[in-house]
Amino acid sequence: MRKYFDAILYTIVFLLIQFIVTYVVFAVWAVAEGVGNSLRSLMNGEGITTMQTIVIQVISSIITLVLFLSMKWCRVSRAYLRSKPYGVLFWAGVAVLGTIIPSELFLELVPLPDLTKGTLGDILGNRWGYLVICIFAPIVEEVVFRGAILRVLLEGSSRHWVPIAISAVLFTLVHGNPAQMPHAFCIGLLLGWMYYRTGSIIPGIMLHWVNNTLSYVVYNVFPQYQNVKVIDLLGGNYFKVSLAIVFSLFIFVPAILQLHQRMRKVEK
């Protein structure tokens, strides 16, 4: 039972840091600019600019990293990097590429509310957005959800898929956006499996970085496709849709097989 308590504790601490930093940064920013009723505006979801959101995410990420690493809730080592796992890192990046089209098609066929579309789009469109979405998010989330939460859940467990699934569920729920949840859960399972096989968060950071960077690149390099559905790009032809899914599997399945063959734990 202790490990479940620790997993819940780590999740609550992660959320609490973001909550506290949000109010502190917003309040300080509002006072500095002479804006009154800051907390009331925050409660109503008003008055938070894109730059404020980015500052909040950066500060909360730094605090989270310092706390989780200093408390040794996530144990890091250079041993895995010293093993030169270039093949694992490469195939981790390839694997996530095979999830993009199926994930988008699923959301088009089973539309879910997108509660953060405007906010996320504003961050992706900001030049500092890359720092938040593609650098801090992969590192912090892997430290918390794999390096801390999954690590304790795996201790003494003979059925590793149960802790992996639990960590994936927590990872999904923390995103708090229904439109992101199916993809987050599937990626969470993949990230959990990679951590279980390697004992390191490095492959997960690579996969997470590629996943987020792809979103950033598509948003900024191909803005004309932001609101275009995959089905529409394929002319509404479901035969082409099926071929797109098969093509994705031709990317995803070989990558998973390569990861299965190459991943191993390294003595620390």
Side-chain angles (χ1 to χ4, degrees), residues 174-193:
V174 162
H175 280 75
N177 184 20
Q180 291 179 290
M181 287 181 175
H183 185 69
F185 179 71
C186 294
I187 291 297
L189 291 176
L190 181 55
L191 291 167
W193 173 63

Side-chain angles (χ1 to χ4, degrees), residues 58-79:
V58 169
I59 294 175
S60 60
S61 294
I62 293 173
I63 293 174
T64 300
L65 287 175
V66 171
L67 180 63
F68 275 72
L69 296 179
S70 64
M71 294 293 291
K72 300 189 184 303
W73 291 344
C74 174
R75 300 165 187 171
V76 296
S77 168
R78 298 178 183 176

Side-chain angles (χ1 to χ4, degrees), residues 16-36:
L16 194 59
I17 289 172
Q18 295 189 53
F19 179 80
I20 293 174
V21 170
T22 297
Y23 275 84
V24 171
V25 169
F26 187 80
V28 170
W29 202 301
V31 170
E33 293 185 346
V35 179

Side-chain angles (χ1 to χ4, degrees), residues 123-141:
I123 295 175
L124 288 172
N126 189 286
R127 63 179 179 177
W128 294 104
Y130 187 85
L131 179 66
V132 173
I133 300 295
C134 304
I135 303 299
F136 276 118
I139 296 173
V140 172
E141 291 177 4

Side-chain angles (χ1 to χ4, degrees), residues 86-259:
Y86 306 130
V88 172
L89 300 182
F90 172 78
W91 287 108
V94 172
V96 76
L97 296 178
T99 69
I100 303 301
I101 291 178
S103 177
E104 289 297 320
L105 286 171
F106 177 83
L107 286 179
E108 291 173 15
L109 296 174
V110 187
L112 296 170
D114 193 345
L115 305 179
T116 63
K117 184 176 181 179
T119 302
L120 181 60
D122 290 341
I123 295 175
L124 288 172
N126 189 286
R127 63 179 179 177
W128 294 104
Y130 187 85
L131 179 66
V132 173
I133 300 295
C134 304
I135 303 299
F136 276 118
I139 296 173
V140 172
E141 291 177 4
E142 290 314 300
V143 164
V144 174
F145 291 96
R146 260 59 64 176
I149 293 174
L150 182 54
R151 178 185 62 79
V152 297
L153 290 176
L154 284 171
E155 291 177 357
S157 177
S158 58
R159 300 169 63 184
H160 63 273
W161 278 110
V162 174
I164 289 173
I166 293 173
S167 66
V169 169
L170 293 174
F171 178 65
T172 301
L173 293 176
V174 162
H175 280 75
N177 184 20
Q180 291 179 290
M181 287 181 175
H183 185 69
F185 179 71
C186 294
I187 291 297
L189 291 176
L190 181 55
L191 291 167
W193 173 63
M194 293 169 63
Y195 178 80
Y196 166 73
R197 286 291 307 273
T198 63
S200 172
I201 62 173
I202 299 299
I205 290 175
M206 170 60 75
L207 186 149
H208 213 143
W209 173 75
V210 172
N211 181 79
N212 292 12
T213 297
L214 184 62
S215 297
Y216 183 87
V217 169
V218 170
Y219 188 92
N220 288 280
V221 179
F222 305 104
Q224 65 272 28
Y225 295 124
Q226 289 175 19
N227 299 313
V228 179
K229 295 182 178 180
V230 174
I231 292 177
D232 294 334
L233 284 175
L234 297 174
N237 187 317
Y238 282 89
F239 176 72
K240 291 182 179 179
V241 169
S242 299
L243 288 180
I245 294 175
V246 171
F247 176 74
S248 296
L249 291 175
F250 281 155
I251 296 174
F252 183 74
V253 174
I256 293 298
L257 293 175
Q258 285 291 331
L259 287 171

